[in-house]
Amino acid sequence: MDLENGVYNNHIKKESWRTVLTLAYQSLGVVYGDLSTSPLYVYKSTFAEDIEHSETNEEIYGVLSFVFWTLTLVPLFKYVFIVLRADDNGEGGTFALYSLLCRHARVSSLPNGQSADEELSDYKKDGIGLIPTSFGSRLKSTLEKHRVLQRFLLVLALIGTCMVIGDGILTPAISVFSAVSGLELSMSKEHHKYVEVPVACIILICLFSLQHYGTHRVGFLFAPVVITWLLCISAIGLYNIFRWNPHVYQALSPYYMYKFLKKTQKGGWMSLGGILLCITGSEAMFADLGHFSQLSIKIAFTSLVYPSLILAYMGQAAYLSQHHVIHGNHIGFYVSVPENLRWPVMVIAILAAVVGSQAIITGTFSIIKQCSALGCFPRVKIVHTSSKIHGQIYIPEINWILMTLCLAVTIGFRDTKRMGNASGLAVITVMLVTTCLMSLVIVLYWHQSVFLAIAFIFFFGTIEALYFTASLVKFLEGAWVPIALAFIFLIIMCVWHYGTLKKYEHDVQNKVSINWLLGLGPGLGIVRVRGIGLIHTELVSGIPAIFSHFVTNLPAFHQVLIFLCVKSVPVPHVRPEERFLVGYIGPREYRLYRCIVRYGYRDAHKDGMQFEKDLVCSIAEFIRSSKAGPTGENEDAEKDDEQMAVVGTPSRHLEGVQVCEDYVPNTDSPGTSELREIRSPVIKPKKRVKFVVPDSPQIETSAREELWELMEAQDAGIAYILSHSYVRAKKGSSFFKRVVINFGYDFLRRNCRDPTYPLSVPHVSTLEVGMIYHL
């Protein structure tokens, strides 16, 4: 599956009006599924217990005013007009903001960063420099000096990430459960409570069981379902407004918020946790930005989603303002739907809830992939379900964990009140984290005044803090769930990140000097056998300890050795022509190469066969274009990482060396083509590897011989040498470190995927070298 070209072409999509409108249409099914289903449970959660619906209508008008201004200030003003502009080369989300900060201030948590990474095209920084005396410059310097602040920034981003994962558990539960709650109006109280939970659980099980097929198979239905739902609730809202209370628009005045809080006082403040649910899914506008564009998301929200939601909430308020005998537990969406339309509307609502749940589940997969790529989450199996859309992935382990927890929440709570309390706290926490990170982005990336950043965090932070405290006070009534889930995932992420850093530091401290290598001589003191030895290492410079460990215990090695490092960089995508960094280790005649393969945190990794082909071809292109010194050696062997060259994949450099497999004839007659083939002599036709090299520029004889040897080694096969590590805390470590390393990190490492899993390493070609790490 070749996703590389599709990813990059997607990343630079043309902004014609036809494209924008098409993306706006598609975004309705992916981005706004969760936000559009909020009317199902907002009023029901708000009037659950804290406030009552009186005949004066002050409560319902106050709630409508809060809903209107919350929708206007947070999704419309904050996200559409401000936050969407803070994209990371077209990507959005919590990690996109953190990635921007890492590139504009040296606060990155990745230990294997290189100066060459800053030369990537997508690593570009804003052309406006900081004035040395400015506050932004002092803030940047402070962040770079204090490790505590860097760790706090990372933990803040991880907290937002953990709450997104929690939202991926809670949103499907409350959306589906609220959609099937219409059964209570057509059944007796004794019957519907035994039907709602099983029906909701069946729908959830089907939803999670179909994840491995990928959303692209049914994705064409998403947008029509959401559009139908939005048109449905807006039409019902208009009907209720004209039928029951045409003057309900007066409640949009902020004066009714004041009257609401003055009358209800503490109960009204606590009910804000239910009102908060009207903006669940707003974060998806920013998180899913990479699949669409800023303009398309803005058009979809302002032209259809926002007005439809406002009409829906106004219609419900108009109906309730003329029906005061409805019990608080029954103040839901379906009570305002005309009786003869309830069953069709419920079917559409269930479909819309499934679409909204699908979007948040896919978003959870995506953010876990980003965390794993940046070394903050254990490696998991990532399946790309679409060869054209890189964001559509499936993670089996996470899928079944989400399903189990989602069913537990549904069965354990069995009502929208506690589900709403839990979901509201998760949503508002993510928004608070986004507000805090955005204030830093305004200063460090946009280079704006610190007063603008303070105004941003004060205005939106105050609104979100009000909702946060109202949700947090419901801790014992369901709000403990996202906190518990976030705490568990945060512990996992921190333990994995800490262990990964310590292991890398151990590798750096115990790497072998190049002088030791030079002392072995061209034969390295051992027998060189045919083939390519691919040594996987996390190091970007120096020789890993696994090499000396292997050489000491085995008297033979391959004729070509490649020290391979597959790493992630804090950019969403690395262009194919900048994928590989290739260089020599020691003199050229040693046939030792270092190859660093760079991926962005949203890039798709290629499979084994294609990766092998690209790897060998990149080394062949490096050999063809490299220049040897007077003695054939690198001028400074200790700085081999600084002499590495950027080599693109063959699909992006057609004018370079191409590698392919073909049946080679017995004779090698010169051709008239402008391409020449370097091949080894054969006795009879057989399938062999060959390099197709351009005529110009002419390559040196030594380089031709080196290519010939590389081709023969590739023809003999590739062996993967991996490090099978055992980690233990070194003697004298604190009790906390021993627990984290010996139990936490070791357990996660033994139960996660191997480092080379994305490369699909075949078992028959794998050789593991055991090593004990005392961290």
Side-chain angles (χ1 to χ4, degrees), residues 495-496 738-750:
V495 167
W496 181 261
R738 290 200 304 271
V739 170
V740 170
I741 297 298
N742 295 347
F743 297 99
Y745 180 69
D746 186 61
F747 173 80
L748 294 174
R749 187 194 56 79
R750 286 187 286 106

Side-chain angles (χ1 to χ4, degrees), residues 329-559:
N329 290 332
H330 292 148
I331 298 181
F333 170 76
Y334 292 106
V335 73
S336 64
V337 178
E339 189 172 353
N340 56 341
L341 294 178
R342 283 175 183 169
W343 281 101
V345 170
M346 187 172 70
V347 172
I348 300 173
I350 292 175
L351 292 176
V354 169
V355 170
S357 302
Q358 173 65 56
I360 194 66
I361 293 170
T362 303
T364 304
F365 291 159
S366 179
I367 200 165
I368 288 178
K369 178 181 180 293
Q370 295 178 27
C371 292
S372 180
L374 295 179
C376 296
F377 198 87
R379 292 178 294 270
V380 290
K381 181 179 180 180
I382 297 174
V383 180
H384 291 269
T385 58
S386 174
S387 59
K388 297 179 180 179
I389 305 176
H390 72 281
Q392 294 186 0
I393 61 175
Y394 169 67
I395 305 178
E397 301 95 329
I398 301 300
N399 182 66
W400 303 123
I401 291 174
L402 291 179
M403 187 189 77
T404 303
L405 294 175
C406 190
L407 291 175
V409 168
T410 305
I411 297 172
F413 285 163
R414 296 190 297 276
D415 66 76
T416 56
K417 175 196 170 187
R418 287 182 290 179
M419 291 183 192
N421 294 337
S423 180
L425 184 61
V427 168
I428 199 62
T429 304
V430 177
M431 292 183 176
L432 272 172
V433 170
T434 300
T435 300
C436 294
L437 294 179
M438 266 300 302
S439 63
L440 294 176
V441 168
I442 289 173
V443 176
L444 297 178
Y445 178 50
W446 288 350
H447 307 307
Q448 298 296 323
S449 169
V450 63
F451 298 106
L452 183 62
I454 293 175
F456 177 85
I457 195 172
F458 178 79
F459 182 75
F460 293 107
T462 302
I463 297 173
E464 292 161 358
L466 180 66
Y467 283 117
F468 179 79
T469 55
S471 299
L472 195 60
V473 78
K474 303 285 187 69
F475 181 82
L476 297 178
E477 300 175 29
W480 61 269
V481 171
I483 295 177
L485 293 174
F487 180 77
I488 294 172
F489 281 106
L490 184 63
I491 291 296
I492 292 174
M493 290 181 177
C494 290
V495 167
W496 181 261
H497 183 68
Y498 176 78
T500 302
L501 282 179
K502 290 298 179 183
K503 185 175 179 295
Y504 187 83
E505 291 174 0
H506 183 277
D507 283 335
V508 172
Q509 294 170 0
N510 293 274
K511 65 182 180 181
V512 180
S513 67
I514 296 182
N515 291 329
W516 172 83
L517 175 68
L518 297 176
L520 297 177
L524 300 182
I526 55 177
V527 178
R528 304 294 291 270
V529 298
R530 296 181 71 239
I532 296 178
L534 204 60
I535 304 174
H536 185 272
T537 176
E538 301 294 330
L539 294 176
V540 294
S541 64
I543 301 174
I546 180 180
F547 181 75
S548 62
H549 192 64
F550 193 97
V551 170
T552 304
N553 293 276
L554 200 65
F557 224 109
H558 299 84
Q559 66 187 102

Side-chain angles (χ1 to χ4, degrees), residues 305-326:
V305 179
Y306 178 75
S308 297
L309 291 176
I310 298 299
L311 288 175
Y313 288 116
M314 289 177 64
Q316 290 185 59
Y319 179 89
L320 295 174
S321 66
Q322 301 300 320
H323 297 78
H324 305 97
V325 295
I326 302 175

Side-chain angles (χ1 to χ4, degrees), residues 716-764:
I718 297 179
Y720 292 81
I721 296 94
L722 312 177
S723 172
H724 187 79
S725 56
Y726 300 88
V727 294
R728 291 291 182 271
K730 58 185 177 182
K731 293 182 179 180
S733 300
S734 64
F735 174 77
F736 174 77
K737 184 176 180 180
R738 290 200 304 271
V739 170
V740 170
I741 297 298
N742 295 347
F743 297 99
Y745 180 69
D746 186 61
F747 173 80
L748 294 174
R749 187 194 56 79
R750 286 187 286 106
N751 289 276
C752 73
R753 299 285 174 174
D754 293 329
T756 55
Y757 173 76
L759 307 181
S760 303
V761 177
H763 293 291
V764 294

